[in-house]
Amino acid sequence: MNKKIFTLSFMTVLLSSACSTMTPARYSISVDNNLELKKYGGSKIQLSALNATGSFDANCRLMGPIQASDGMTIPEFVRKAFNDEFKFAEVYGDSGVKLSGNLTKVAFSSSAALTNGWWEFALELESSNGKSMTVETHYDFKSGFDAITACNQTAQALGPAVQDLIKKAVTQPEFAALVK
């Protein structure tokens, strides 16, 4: 009888600890990015396509995958974030400069130095005017010790990490050449 109770208890614990998907909040506009993009007033910009050629391991510890909000992939999340920033700065438009991009690196850690984490991105942008640029970012954050906290913190850090990526892209001098 003890063996049956142990087995039943073990199976209950095992099934209740199955992996779950960690999802961040929706992207929110950055004031700094908005101020920078306002400099391009009169321009019409759109990130029309964004692919990912680098491999991306979405699994966070043994908790499960990190997935962008609203069921989007990471490239879809980043593309929507760029376009949301363009819209808020009133520089978004269907007619005008079309940007396309390629995420060559998407990576994260939820256990750097045990309780810290980071997101890294490498992005290539190409304009319909023939100009191109690349940008790489490394965004650090506090994750936590236990897997549940660390993976949730990693998911929640996606938005600020993408804000950082956009800021680095739009503040580079090469960005101005893309949108002319």
Side-chain angles (χ1 to χ4, degrees):
M1 186 68 166
N2 263 349
K3 189 173 183 178
K4 285 182 182 180
I5 291 173
F6 174 78
T7 303
L8 182 60
S9 297
F10 178 75
M11 292 303 292
T12 301
V13 169
L14 184 63
L15 290 174
S16 66
S17 64
C19 67
S20 56
T21 301
M22 304 296 158
T23 305
R26 289 181 173 163
Y27 182 79
S28 60
I29 302 301
S30 162
V31 173
D32 292 337
N33 291 345
N34 183 261
L35 289 173
E36 190 65 34
L37 286 167
K38 291 257 187 213
K39 295 176 183 177
Y40 300 103
S43 298
K44 294 299 175 194
I45 313 163
Q46 181 185 123
L47 182 54
S48 58
L50 184 62
N51 301 309
T53 56
S55 63
F56 172 60
D57 181 6
N59 290 313
C60 184
R61 299 189 185 186
L62 295 176
M63 288 301 302
I66 303 286
Q67 180 180 335
S69 60
D70 298 324
M72 290 184 276
T73 64
I74 300 293
E76 290 168 338
F77 184 85
V78 172
R79 180 180 161 274
K80 184 178 182 319
F82 264 94
N83 286 328
D84 286 352
E85 293 282 2
F86 295 157
K87 289 172 186 174
F88 196 70
E90 298 178 354
V91 296
Y92 178 85
D94 290 333
S95 62
V97 174
K98 302 271 193 230
L99 301 177
S100 59
N102 186 25
L103 282 168
T104 58
K105 181 178 187 179
V106 176
F108 69 84
S109 171
S110 65
S111 58
L114 196 57
T115 60
N116 296 312
W118 50 260
W119 277 93
E120 289 184 344
F121 294 98
L123 173 65
E124 298 171 344
L125 287 174
E126 187 173 316
S127 174
S128 55
N129 69 17
K131 303 287 185 187
S132 64
M133 67 177 280
T134 60
V135 62
E136 292 185 26
T137 60
H138 178 94
Y139 179 80
D140 290 310
F141 61 93
K142 292 282 185 195
S143 61
F145 182 75
D146 65 285
I148 293 171
T149 302
C151 292
N152 273 319
Q153 291 295 95
T154 302
Q156 295 310 316
L158 176 60
V162 171
Q163 286 178 338
D164 201 50
L165 173 68
I166 294 170
K167 182 178 182 179
K168 187 150 186 191
V170 302
T171 57
Q172 285 192 19
E174 296 88 355
F175 188 78
L178 293 181
V179 299
K180 289 183 181 183

